[in-house]
Amino acid sequence: MNDTSIAPKPALKASGAFYVETVTWVQHWTPQLFSFRTTRDPGLRFTSGQFVMVGLMTEEGRPLVRAYSIASPAWHDELEFYSIKVQDGPLTSRLQKIQVGDQVLVGRKPTGTLVMDGLKPGKRLYMLGTGTGLAPWLSLARDPETYERFDEVIVTHTVREVGDLNYRELFEHDLKADEILGELIGDKLTYYPTVTREPFKTQGRITDLITSGKIFANLGVPPLDPAVDRLMMCGGPSVLADLKQILIDRGFEEGSIANPGDFVLEKAFVET
């Protein structure tokens, strides 16, 4: 009798460019969005807010990877990622099917501009995210350094539909109830979700909410002031261009690790 069983996939091997990590958790939020966690090699060092290359090996034995912001904080022993699903995308059409126990490639060289050292000292920190551009804020909002540096931390998440407000429970409840982070966070953290295509308590694009002043009225804070406010932004290229212009018009200066400023930005990577 012929043996028709499927041979197990050969284990991936780490390389000079990639670690091989094992999937420990997968959460499908909507037909378009999912998150997953993996093991973390002890040798991987990163700063909360950075991104890394993540992906799978092709059947031809080549790495197929895309840039993903690390959604877990630098202190955590696992790596978390937040992704869109592109049904015909070379990577995410496959990545969305991963299960606990599967292996993925994780790059050895984290990088990125969305780090605290790119900002001058300030009083109030805004983290403006659209879609999966929330990912770096998931890392930074769980990092004690964020609350040591700022008196107020405002996380905004703009999405098309209410069902896309993934991690809402984390920001509205879990972080402040956390036995380790809760005391440090106290009343410093504010979560400001907005929806563009469905009725919701806060509707509209983040650019419109800033220019109209509605966000400041809703939050009970003064309008943007480069003397005290610092901003981090992650989203699509068009919204980032608009946000950057809004800030420049108000006297804000873009920063970098080499030359800290009033705001930093990074596009939310369109994973395919």
Side-chain angles (χ1 to χ4, degrees), residues 17-62:
F18 300 101
Y19 296 107
V20 173
E21 302 296 354
T22 302
V23 177
T24 60
W25 171 85
V26 182
Q27 171 73 47
H28 292 276
W29 305 103
T30 72
Q32 291 80 36
L33 295 161
F34 75 109
S35 296
F36 62 98
R37 292 191 201 119
T38 74
T39 53
R40 174 182 176 179
D41 190 284
L44 179 65
R45 296 282 185 267
F46 71 94
T47 301
S48 295
Q50 288 187 313
F51 68 85
V52 72
M53 304 306 288
V54 178
L56 301 167
M57 198 69 81
T58 66
E59 292 183 3
E60 295 76 34
R62 293 193 303 270

Side-chain angles (χ1 to χ4, degrees), residues 131-164:
T132 54
L134 180 73
W137 315 154
L138 293 166
S139 177
L140 286 157
R142 290 185 270 190
D143 193 316
E145 184 184 0
T146 302
Y147 305 97
E148 292 166 359
R149 290 205 184 195
F150 292 93
D151 297 333
E152 293 181 66
V153 177
I154 297 167
V155 174
T156 80
H157 190 203
T158 302
V159 297
R160 293 175 178 176
E161 299 174 354
V162 178
D164 298 334

Side-chain angles (χ1 to χ4, degrees), residues 1-6:
M1 190 170 79
N2 292 333
D3 183 2
T4 57
S5 61
I6 300 173

